[in-house]
Amino acid sequence: MSALTALVAILISGDGGVGDASRGASLYVARCGACHSLGENGAGPSHQKLWGRKAATQPGFDYSAALRASKIVWNEKTLDRWLTNPNELVPGNKMMVQLASDPIDRADLIAFLRRETR
Amino acid sequence: MSPVLARRSLIKTATLSAAAVGFLGGTKLAFAGSPTEGDLAILNVALGLEHEAIAAYQIGAESGLLKGGTLDVAVLFQSHHKGHRDAQIGAIKKLGGKPVEAKTADEYKKSTKLNVASIKTAEDVLRLAQKLELGAVNAYIGVMPNFADRSLSTVASKLLADEVMHYTALTQALNEALPKNTLSFGG
């Protein structure tokens, strides 16, 4: 693996704290904020204490059977795959939206979630 | 070049991401239930957002912080959201679904998302409205490809255009710059 490819892999994965959490905060409000917050369940579940949490375990939210059965734990890699295409990672889940096709955006969103929800 | 553009340029030079390939290929999500159930799920989420926007504008209008033309525009925008609500309720019922109901005014006032307690000025009201409108714009863009009934995409596009109009007017009222980049909404 070349140095450039390795750097790209890090950027895409959001691994190692490369993402810009401050920019991720703005993206979170703009892209996720209609349905999610760090405080309470809305159309989507709250992201309070998301980092390291098993998927579909936020109290009080009605998750899909597919996500409840997924055994996913939220971290850099799983969040990157989820944000890329939630239905590819967990077919049949309820999140009918894709708003982070750009790897930089995903890295920044993930950096924000790591900072705010661990 | 901004840091974000520099990082993006690096990635574009090195690889076309799987996500980008998916985008170019028109990736479509699949709902676990029937196509109609998927459409109903999307419509009910959108309806919930419209209920919330109506409540937020009501809170703003009753705050006493908005005056004159600003208050008139807020009431106008709220009326647009009421029209969206009614259109969505009609579509949901037509598909045989049950429209999600609005929360109580107290529930909206206690919502940490709306954070009504922090509103002290007219600018705070406008910023909340701007935030909600932008969230709605992006939510509509995000779900647009996933309607099984393509006629619903047409309806959603009209609603989306209203939300963009609201966001733009609010951004200018706040004396903020409009987006510099093209294709600045959605993800």
Side-chain angles (χ1 to χ4, degrees):
Chain A
M1 181 183 288
S2 72
L4 180 60
T5 305
L7 176 58
V8 168
I10 290 170
L11 285 166
I12 290 174
S13 72
D15 218 342
V18 173
D20 179 345
S22 295
R23 181 171 179 272
S26 298
L27 288 174
Y28 182 82
V29 171
R31 307 269 184 87
C32 315
C35 297
H36 298 280
S37 78
L38 302 181
E40 62 200 11
N41 294 328
S46 162
H47 288 149
Q48 190 174 35
K49 297 181 179 176
L50 174 81
W51 201 261
R53 177 189 283 274
K54 189 171 178 290
T57 59
Q58 195 67 254
F61 190 81
D62 181 24
Y63 290 95
S64 63
L67 194 60
R68 286 199 303 272
S70 70
K71 298 182 180 177
I72 287 171
V73 173
W74 296 121
N75 56 36
E76 287 95 343
K77 290 182 179 176
T78 53
L79 282 169
D80 187 66
R81 291 180 63 196
W82 175 261
L83 291 170
T84 299
N85 187 342
N87 206 251
E88 186 174 288
L89 180 62
V90 184
N93 82 83
K94 288 184 178 178
M95 191 160 126
M96 304 278 286
V97 60
Q98 289 169 287
L99 282 170
S101 61
D102 186 301
I104 295 291
D105 291 348
R106 289 199 302 280
D108 293 348
L109 280 165
I110 291 166
F112 168 74
L113 289 169
R114 178 175 44 226
R115 186 183 75 185
E116 297 296 327
T117 73
R118 66 192 320 178
Chain B
M1 182 182 288
S2 73
V4 170
L5 288 178
R7 291 158 68 204
R8 186 160 291 132
S9 176
L10 174 61
I11 285 185
K12 283 180 177 173
T13 301
T15 182
L16 185 61
S17 74
V21 172
F23 174 74
L24 292 171
T27 301
K28 186 168 182 172
L29 303 185
F31 190 71
S34 70
T36 298
E37 287 173 325
D39 286 350
L40 283 170
I42 294 171
L43 288 169
N44 258 322
V45 169
L47 176 57
L49 298 180
E50 298 293 351
H51 284 318
E52 184 180 61
I54 292 165
Y57 279 109
Q58 189 66 32
I59 290 166
E62 293 175 350
S63 69
L65 297 168
L66 301 181
K67 309 288 184 190
T70 307
L71 177 59
D72 292 342
V73 170
V75 172
L76 174 66
F77 287 0
Q78 186 195 44
S79 76
H80 294 162
H81 286 291
K82 287 178 177 176
H84 298 173
R85 172 199 62 193
D86 295 344
Q88 286 165 344
I89 288 174
I92 290 166
K93 287 182 175 176
K94 190 176 176 184
L95 290 173
K98 182 182 177 187
V100 67
E101 294 183 0
K103 298 177 183 176
T104 66
D106 275 351
E107 285 177 308
Y108 286 117
K109 286 176 183 173
K110 290 175 183 172
S111 158
T112 58
K113 178 182 173 185
L114 298 186
N115 196 13
V116 173
S118 71
I119 294 175
K120 308 294 182 193
T121 66
E123 182 178 327
D124 293 337
V125 175
L126 298 180
R127 287 203 185 285
L128 171 60
Q130 182 198 37
K131 181 179 82 169
L132 295 178
E133 299 289 4
L134 179 58
V137 167
N138 285 324
Y140 276 119
I141 291 173
V143 300
M144 198 69 73
N146 298 310
F147 283 113
D149 179 345
R150 304 307 297 169
S151 68
L152 292 174
S153 296
T154 302
V155 176
S157 297
K158 293 179 179 178
L159 271 57
L160 168 60
D162 279 351
E163 315 291 19
V164 173
M165 172 180 64
H166 297 171
Y167 172 77
T168 304
L170 290 162
T171 298
Q172 294 202 302
L174 286 162
N175 289 317
E176 292 182 359
L178 293 172
K180 290 181 180 175
N181 297 329
T182 187
L183 304 176
S184 58
F185 296 104

